Amino acid sequence: FGCTSCGRCRAAEQAAALGEARDRADLLARELNHRVKNLFAVILAIVRMSGKDAPEARPVIERISDRIHALLTAHDVTQGTLERPVASLRTLVETTLAPYRSEKLPAEVEGPDIELPARQVTPLGLVLHELTTNAVKYGAWSRGGTIAIAWRVDDGMIAIDWRERCECDGKPPERTGFGSLLMTSAARQLRGEIDRRFGPGGVEVTIAFPHAAG
């Protein structure tokens, strides 16, 4: 009798083949990740070069560049398929705050461990980026205030509460800018809702969407 009929040998061969397949998949994922980052770099270069001879366009160029960086941040915390949980909500929040957060610009972050599928990370990452930069330019972090971000899972929904605390006039923006349109679009992609409230104590935002991980 040959060893080809041995169940133990067949299992070993299958395990070895599976290991080789995983190694190939990991190599392909790393190569794809490298190419995506290169593509982001090319896009950023094109955007910046396009405004080189137009100083008046610099504020617009900077906003576009910041949003491209936000997409890159979302990409960095997502690796895997669109259905498999691939990113930690905490990591996404912490990574978005990291470029600005300091002793002078404090932020409290609290919530349970939650894994998100990639399809939710990109729109949520853009919203968090928009809220962070708004806090730096116009909100709590521009007025010596603080930010608190907390999240929870309630009845199959993830709810993220963004709270800014500072002295302000409490008036909402006079016009609907690109940031507002971005949040409306992101809410649709998340199949949820984004509610912004402006008061004398600072802006409060609630982001709610289905818990699709798993």
Side-chain angles (χ1 to χ4, degrees):
F1 297 96
C3 196
T4 55
S5 62
C6 175
R8 184 177 299 176
C9 291
R10 287 198 300 273
E13 291 173 357
Q14 290 173 354
L18 181 59
E20 291 176 2
R22 285 176 175 170
D23 289 342
R24 288 195 297 270
D26 183 62
L27 181 62
L28 288 172
R30 290 175 183 273
E31 176 63 20
L32 179 59
N33 183 46
H34 177 70
R35 294 190 181 192
V36 168
K37 288 187 174 183
N38 283 346
L39 181 59
F40 276 118
V42 170
I43 293 171
L44 278 170
I46 291 173
V47 169
R48 288 169 177 161
M49 289 175 62
S50 298
K52 187 176 181 181
D53 298 323
E56 69 278 5
R58 184 173 179 179
V60 176
I61 297 298
E62 288 179 351
R63 287 197 297 271
I64 294 173
S65 297
D66 285 346
R67 283 160 181 151
I68 293 173
H69 275 296
L71 288 172
L72 179 56
T73 297
H75 169 75
D76 280 341
V77 296
T78 61
Q79 295 299 320
T81 69
L82 288 178
E83 296 301 328
R84 184 172 61 86
V86 293
S88 160
L89 175 55
R90 180 179 298 276
T91 298
L92 182 61
V93 172
E94 298 275 7
T95 303
T96 304
L97 296 172
Y100 311 97
R101 191 179 184 186
S102 65
E103 290 185 4
K104 294 183 178 180
L105 303 179
E108 298 177 2
V109 176
E110 182 180 359
D113 292 334
I114 297 177
E115 297 292 318
L116 301 173
R119 67 178 182 276
Q120 291 182 332
V121 172
T122 297
L124 181 58
L126 286 172
V127 170
L128 293 173
H129 167 78
E130 199 69 22
L131 293 174
T132 301
T133 54
N134 283 347
V136 172
K137 295 177 181 178
Y138 320 111
W141 276 353
S142 71
R143 301 167 182 265
T146 63
I147 298 175
I149 304 101
W151 60 87
R152 62 193 183 281
V153 178
D154 185 15
D155 196 24
M157 298 287 289
I158 296 174
I160 303 172
D161 295 316
W162 175 286
R163 301 286 183 267
E164 297 184 26
R165 292 292 177 261
C166 64
E167 294 183 6
C168 61
D169 56 21
K171 295 180 180 179
E174 295 182 356
R175 64 184 184 86
T176 301
F178 178 78
S180 297
L181 296 176
L182 183 149
M183 290 193 186
T184 300
S185 174
R188 285 198 298 266
Q189 293 180 59
L190 290 168
R191 298 180 181 177
E193 297 180 349
I194 299 177
D195 178 37
R196 291 192 295 170
R197 303 172 297 281
F198 297 86
V203 64
E204 298 184 353
V205 182
T206 299
I207 307 166
F209 56 95
H211 186 200

